[in-house]
Amino acid sequence: VQLQASGGGLVQAGGSLGLSCAASGLTFRMRTMGWFRQAPGKEREFVSTISSGGSTFYADSVKGRFIISRDNAKNTVYLQMNSLTPEDPAVYFCASYYAGSRYYAQSYDYWGQGTQVTVSS
């Protein structure tokens, strides 16, 4: 299984950035996929998930600003990040959900390598 995240970079506060995560080696269309982020010195935190049926969940901190979506034909999950703030910089990871609470990293079995998001004020 391989999850390849891309799209990170530097953006000004208030700007937008889109992340992609291409999956291979798993039955993507049947898996709930998620995004987490980890800032320096902090624990990895839940950002968003999208189920196989398209149901979405968001952390309160990103609700209304971030949009998760998926394209099963391309085995890819996306995270559109809008109105970025100085609280959003982190390494963003995509992951495939396995079991348990969607809010905890241990509920996910496969992880991408992470992509850095930096926000300038």
Side-chain angles (χ1 to χ4, degrees):
V1 175
Q2 189 170 18
L3 302 179
Q4 185 71 37
S6 61
L10 172 65
V11 63
Q12 282 190 327
S16 298
L17 202 60
L19 306 181
S20 300
C21 175
S24 60
L26 74 170
T27 310
F28 180 83
R29 68 183 186 279
M30 298 179 66
R31 301 295 296 269
T32 290
M33 300 297 295
W35 287 95
F36 280 71
R37 66 185 182 185
Q38 188 167 19
K42 295 187 177 181
E43 293 188 355
R44 195 166 296 191
E45 66 170 353
F46 169 79
V47 174
S48 182
T49 57
I50 184 167
S51 72
S52 58
S55 297
T56 58
F57 296 89
Y58 297 93
D60 287 343
S61 58
V62 307
K63 198 174 295 182
R65 301 187 297 121
F66 289 13
I67 302 170
I68 190 171
S69 61
R70 65 191 296 158
D71 185 337
N72 290 337
K74 296 182 178 180
N75 285 2
T76 301
V77 59
Y78 305 95
L79 186 68
Q80 178 64 36
M81 305 182 294
N82 302 314
S83 302
L84 285 160
T85 75
E87 283 68 50
D88 293 318
V91 177
Y92 282 71
F93 298 89
C94 60
S96 58
Y97 171 80
Y98 176 66
S101 170
R102 69 175 63 90
Y103 300 106
Y104 299 122
Q106 56 262 40
S107 299
Y108 296 75
D109 53 357
Y110 298 107
W111 291 82
Q113 84 287 3
T115 184
Q116 177 72 51
V117 172
T118 304
V119 179
S120 64
S121 56

